[in-house]
Amino acid sequence: MDAYEILKRCGEGHTPTVDEMEILLANDDPEFLNELYRTAAKVRDEHFGNKVFTYGFVYFSTYCKNNCAFCYYRRSNKIDRYRKTKAEVLDLAARLKKAGVNMVDLTMGEDPKLYENDYEGLIDLVQGVRETVGDLGIMVSPGAVSKSCMPRLRAAGADWLAVYQETYNKELFSKLRLEQDYQNRIDQRVWAREAGLLTEDGMLVGTGETARDRAEHIKIMGDLGCQQVRAMTFVPQEGTPMQAVIPSDPMYELKAIAVMRLAYPDKLIPASLDVEGIAGLKTRLDAGANVITSIVPPNEELAGVANPTLDINDGHRSVSYVHHLVESMGKHVASNEEFRQFMEANRPEAVY
Ligand code: SAM
Ligand code: MD0
Ligand code: SF4
């Protein structure tokens, strides 16, 4: 079938197959792309209206025992690192709540200090943040942890676990996430769901994957029951083995966002400020995203992931700046009550 025909059917409620997603993802014609984004945005609006959710990002430890080829924070990179104290994290979380985000995303490298004594430091931190933020959402992005850690994260007050596969192409995975177990990373989301956590998966765009790889990735993320799915363009990082890779056109990420939206009208799909900063927000929302992630408070010596400093200290990734911009686009910043309703309606039942 031709790409326009597939698109038309998706706009009328058809769920694209992997083959159809590949056809959509492989088409670069500008006229087709406009139609793709327009249809994805329409499908999103039918499910979410003009509501947009916002998440604050707290990268609280940049120490990591892993050596992912794409990541600035890989252990071999000789960079300055920090680990925020519990008091500092609680203070940041309290201020993000006051500023008005729907969720706090507690992200870390695989920091041995927070993993020691069976994740004692991590669990204690999540518990502290829960006591601090009341009914706000809490997402944890801790890397790959043990199965028994999942129910403890949930009991401590976490709502979500985010662990991105980056790619479901095994060969590519082994080149990106060096020395890491492919199945163990998939299991993170399976175990998390069994413990009653909502889950997020994601793909890294522009690392050598094909349109077919992306189509299959989108399918698998849904099969795994993830309630939030993302695509992020790889941003080359100084001092890493992939520093000289030529970055891909952000269009591939936008297409992935749009096709994810057509496949999953009711899932959360982020527009990350971490790739192109605030300049890339509108294109991502126009392609079908409905969450703004990586909002980072200025002047706190907090880093982003793909762009460690972009737009942060001039306040352009702050809550108030983002809220203004969103409203000026005719969108409505969702309330915490609305976000909580989404979580309660979608939360998996714990099986142990
Ligand atoms: N350390 C944990 C982990 O790896 O799961 C959580 C934090 S990690 C930095 C979060 C995600 O950031 C990665 O899964 C990857 O998708 C993304 N990321 C890291 N480096 C990136 C880069 N250079 N460009 C784009 N995304 C990147
Ligand atoms: C983001 N930089 O939202 C963050 C990060 C981790 N859960 C998310 C990749 O774009
Ligand atoms: Fe560590 Fe995560 Fe970076 Fe990999 S992506 S090196 S696990 S911080």
Side-chain angles (χ1 to χ4, degrees):
M1 209 187 305
D2 130 280
Y4 279 97
E5 184 59 27
I6 297 168
L7 190 54
K8 183 166 164 284
R9 291 183 56 207
C10 291
E12 294 161 0
H14 170 68
T15 303
T17 64
V18 174
D19 289 343
E20 290 170 341
M21 289 196 277
E22 184 184 355
I23 292 172
L24 297 176
L25 290 164
N27 195 320
D28 290 350
D29 177 54
E31 216 169 290
F32 172 76
L33 293 182
N34 282 337
E35 196 55 24
L36 173 69
Y37 302 147
R38 205 190 54 74
T39 309
K42 180 189 85 114
V43 167
R44 180 222 24 230
D45 291 350
E46 281 165 8
H47 278 79
F48 290 96
N50 64 354
K51 243 191 333 253
V52 171
F53 301 98
T54 58
Y55 304 169
F57 183 58
V58 182
Y59 199 2
F60 65 95
S61 172
T62 58
Y63 287 88
C64 189
K65 65 176 163 63
N66 280 342
N67 224 4
C68 300
F70 53 83
C71 182
Y72 184 64
Y73 303 95
R74 69 199 302 267
R75 68 163 187 266
S76 302
N77 213 7
K78 301 281 169 274
I79 54 168
D80 290 336
R81 298 175 193 267
Y82 62 80
R83 182 186 298 115
K84 298 285 179 197
T85 64
K86 182 178 175 186
E88 285 169 330
V89 176
L90 298 192
D91 181 52
L92 281 160
R95 283 160 47 202
L96 278 166
K97 177 183 165 78
K98 195 153 171 259
V101 295
N102 300 130
M103 177 146 82
V104 177
D105 178 3
L106 302 171
T107 295
M108 56 187 263
E110 294 198 3
D111 180 352
K113 184 101 188 125
L114 286 147
Y115 274 28
E116 77 188 8
N117 299 325
D118 211 8
Y119 310 99
E120 191 180 22
L122 170 63
I123 302 287
D124 182 57
L125 193 77
V126 174
Q127 202 156 354
V129 173
R130 173 50 72 209
E131 284 158 16
T132 305
V133 300
D135 69 347
L136 233 62
I138 297 179
M139 172 179 271
V140 190
S141 307
V145 297
S146 69
K147 185 173 183 180
S148 62
C149 184
M150 301 296 180
R152 291 167 62 215
L153 285 170
R154 177 74 190 115
D159 294 295
W160 292 80
L161 182 93
V163 172
Y164 313 142
Q165 198 69 18
E166 327 296 0
T167 178
Y168 283 94
N169 174 328
K170 275 192 186 169
E171 206 186 312
L172 187 54
F173 181 93
S174 67
K175 289 182 191 152
L176 295 176
R177 289 201 158 264
L178 308 176
E179 304 150 21
Q180 292 170 54
D181 190 78
Y182 176 84
Q183 187 59 43
N184 181 262
R185 204 156 168 94
I186 295 181
D187 287 342
Q188 298 299 312
R189 291 173 296 275
V190 176
W191 297 336
R193 196 184 59 219
E194 289 171 357
L197 289 157
L198 296 143
T199 55
E200 181 183 19
D201 194 357
M203 73 168 88
L204 202 50
V205 176
T207 60
E209 80 288 357
T210 61
R212 181 73 192 181
D213 289 332
R214 288 184 208 132
E216 285 174 359
H217 198 127
I218 294 174
K219 172 78 166 66
I220 297 171
M221 295 197 289
D223 291 348
L224 280 171
C226 299
Q227 297 83 0
Q228 182 165 301
V229 293
R230 75 160 62 201
M232 265 175 80
T233 308
F234 161 64
V235 182
Q237 304 295 325
E238 207 178 314
T240 68
M242 291 173 74
Q243 66 177 359
V245 171
I246 297 173
S248 88
D249 189 317
M251 179 248 291
Y252 293 99
E253 175 185 331
L254 297 178
K255 286 205 288 184
I257 289 174
V259 175
M260 289 191 292
R261 174 57 66 206
L262 298 177
Y264 308 121
D266 56 355
K267 291 194 193 299
L268 298 174
I269 301 180
S272 174
L273 298 178
D274 216 13
V275 179
E276 295 186 282
I278 206 77
L281 181 58
K282 188 174 182 325
T283 48
R284 286 166 176 76
L285 292 178
D286 286 348
N290 65 337
V291 182
I292 303 171
T293 64
S294 230
I295 294 174
V296 182
N299 309 318
E300 296 293 344
E301 291 175 359
L302 280 172
V305 171
N307 273 297
T309 56
L310 176 69
D311 282 349
I312 295 180
N313 275 349
D314 62 5
H316 288 183
R317 271 164 78 169
S318 71
V319 183
S320 57
Y321 191 86
V322 171
H323 276 199
H324 261 93
L325 202 66
V326 167
E327 301 281 346
S328 78
M329 291 175 190
K331 305 228 174 280
H332 157 71
V333 177
S335 67
N336 290 336
E337 180 53 34
E338 287 169 316
F339 187 62
R340 186 140 288 278
Q341 273 168 17
F342 178 93
M343 290 197 292
E344 298 318 336
N346 290 278
R347 203 190 295 281
E349 202 174 318
V351 297
Y352 61 83

